Amino acid sequence: ANAGVLVADTLDEVMDVAELLSRYPEPPANGPAVLTASGAFVALINDFAETLDLQFPELVPATMEKLRAALPVFGAPNNPLDTTAGSAPGSNIPMTRALLEDPNIGSLFISYPIAGPKGVNVIGEFVKGMEGNTKPVVVVALGDNSPLAQELQAVADAGPFEFHRSSDRCLRSLA
């Protein structure tokens, strides 16, 4: 935001920002947290965020402790957060909740592998973690134009979050 004006560089960005503002009319004052299951994605998103001049806020110590309790022993409670491929079923619930409750976090960007038979369950975990939340949340299913199972698309469309297929476009809308 520049002097109260949101700037978009492309027509896609205008539409993405409009969708986000239609659900969350008040842009957050603080930057986003990122939740993913890929360390490689963490590295890529850090580089991409730098090109957008987008900062990821540091997590407060209480959030880090909550994340440490939910992560595998080798996981690191950072922002962006790599939940690791070894995270336990159900652990996305407390991790989502912890990030959204952190006072330094203005919004949550989730880029997670949700395609396949477990996708509906994974989204369900995120939704449970979002209960009572008022901060903007955007969920990205990687794959841009590749089709999603009808059941998964229906759950994503009904979720209490903005749903996107492009991490780039989604992150730009939060920047």
Side-chain angles (χ1 to χ4, degrees), residues 77-166:
N78 298 314
N79 184 23
L81 176 65
D82 171 13
T83 64
T84 80
S87 60
S91 63
N92 288 319
I93 299 167
M95 288 190 275
T96 301
R97 186 171 295 125
L99 291 171
L100 288 169
E101 290 175 349
D102 189 302
N104 289 347
I105 301 303
S107 59
L108 179 58
F109 172 92
I110 299 171
S111 181
Y112 213 84
I114 61 169
K118 296 181 183 177
V120 171
N121 294 337
V122 171
I123 288 181
E125 288 183 14
F126 292 134
V127 168
K128 286 179 185 172
M130 293 176 207
E131 289 175 357
N133 169 62
T134 59
K135 294 179 182 179
V137 177
V138 185
V139 176
V140 176
L142 300 177
D144 257 344
N145 295 321
S146 60
L148 286 178
Q150 188 173 359
E151 179 185 17
L152 181 58
Q153 186 70 54
V155 170
D157 289 344
F161 48 79
E162 281 297 310
F163 181 69
H164 288 268
R165 297 301 307 275
S166 168

Side-chain angles (χ1 to χ4, degrees), residues 59-78 81 95 98:
L59 303 174
V60 299
T63 300
M64 293 175 74
E65 287 304 313
K66 291 175 187 175
L67 293 173
R68 223 176 253 112
L71 285 166
V73 68
F74 55 87
N78 298 314
L81 176 65
M95 288 190 275

Side-chain angles (χ1 to χ4, degrees), residues 6 8 11-26 136-139 153 156-157 159-166 169-170 173-174:
L6 298 174
L11 293 174
D12 285 337
E13 285 180 34
V14 169
M15 297 309 295
D16 294 340
V17 170
E19 282 182 30
L20 194 59
L21 288 172
S22 70
R23 184 181 291 261
Y24 305 106
E26 186 67 33
V137 177
V138 185
V139 176
Q153 186 70 54
D157 289 344
F161 48 79
E162 281 297 310
F163 181 69
H164 288 268
R165 297 301 307 275
S166 168
R169 287 179 54 184
C170 179
S173 70
L174 291 173

